[in-house]
Amino acid sequence: KKYMKAGPRKYLYFNPNKVRAAIITCGGLCPGLNVVIRELVMSLWYNYGVKNIWGIKWGYKGIYSGENYWIQLEPSKVRDIHQLGGTMLGSSRGGFDNAKGDIDRAVDSLVEKGINHLYCIGGDGTHRGIKYLADKLRKRKVQVSLVGIPKTIDNDINVIDKTFGFDSAIEAAQLA
């Protein structure tokens, strides 16, 4: 397989003025989550001119759990969060319960809010959730860029040499 190098592109698929981005953190806590949130917001805002950025509280369930789970993000709200542990968005384990129609509810919510970029920070379970979302979005012919940002102290995501959180886990294990 051949992988494309990440980074800015000369031509953008989405018009930054029409981008509505959302960020979620899923799974267990590890160092660096607030740093990733901060840098996503700062990069979208200053590098691309994206002004509609949302944080979704408490992982995947926050997507479909109501307005109280969605907070508008801008540089002033995230400027100093890199100095704090954890995640300003909260996190939760668990993905979608198909018996309850969670995936459909999540897609309905993303469509209703006009989200066309979803940044999912988490481990292997989070990335399986991204796959379920991608399948459902494709089936409905809804265009949303799903971006998986690997985070796991287990370092168990294929094709990634080392995820953030892993070094901290090793250091803590060595001190035990």
Side-chain angles (χ1 to χ4, degrees):
K1 288 184 175 179
K2 196 171 190 175
Y3 297 98
M4 273 193 332
K5 185 177 178 187
R9 299 285 182 250
K10 185 174 182 179
Y11 302 104
L12 301 175
Y13 181 80
F14 289 97
N15 177 341
N17 294 326
K18 295 183 180 180
V19 168
R20 294 181 56 82
I23 303 167
I24 59 173
T25 52
C26 304
L29 295 178
C30 78
L33 290 170
N34 276 334
V35 174
V36 174
I37 295 166
R38 178 184 188 273
E39 295 310 312
L40 282 170
V41 172
M42 295 299 197
S43 183
L44 286 166
W45 191 278
Y46 291 116
N47 294 343
Y48 293 98
V50 174
K51 305 300 186 212
N52 290 303
I53 309 167
W54 297 89
I56 302 171
K57 295 182 185 179
W58 305 115
Y60 282 132
K61 73 177 182 179
I63 296 174
Y64 55 83
S65 293
E67 293 299 317
N68 292 341
Y69 285 76
W70 291 70
I71 56 172
Q72 190 130 32
L73 299 177
E74 55 189 46
S76 64
K77 287 187 181 174
V78 300
R79 184 162 284 120
D80 297 319
I81 65 168
H82 63 291
Q83 298 174 26
L84 305 172
T87 164
M88 71 174 286
L89 299 175
S91 190
S92 67
R93 293 189 185 275
F96 302 106
D97 184 341
N98 286 332
K100 293 181 181 177
D102 290 352
I103 296 249
D104 287 312
R105 291 174 24 201
V107 170
D108 290 344
S109 182
L110 293 172
V111 169
E112 176 186 311
K113 291 178 175 21
I115 299 300
N116 52 20
H117 283 202
L118 180 61
Y119 297 88
C120 306
I121 308 165
D124 58 334
T126 303
H127 286 74
R128 279 191 300 278
I130 293 168
K131 167 83 168 81
Y132 299 141
L133 275 172
D135 291 344
K136 186 60 78 170
L137 288 162
R138 189 175 301 112
K139 187 175 181 179
R140 290 204 200 172
K141 297 181 172 44
V142 176
Q143 289 188 328
V144 176
S145 286
L146 299 172
V147 180
I149 300 167
K151 174 259 345 158
T152 171
I153 64 170
D154 302 325
N155 204 40
D156 59 354
I157 298 176
N158 292 333
V159 308
I160 301 294
D161 292 331
K162 186 167 37 171
T163 63
F164 73 90
F166 180 67
D167 282 340
S168 299
I170 296 300
E171 288 174 22
Q174 290 174 336
L175 296 174

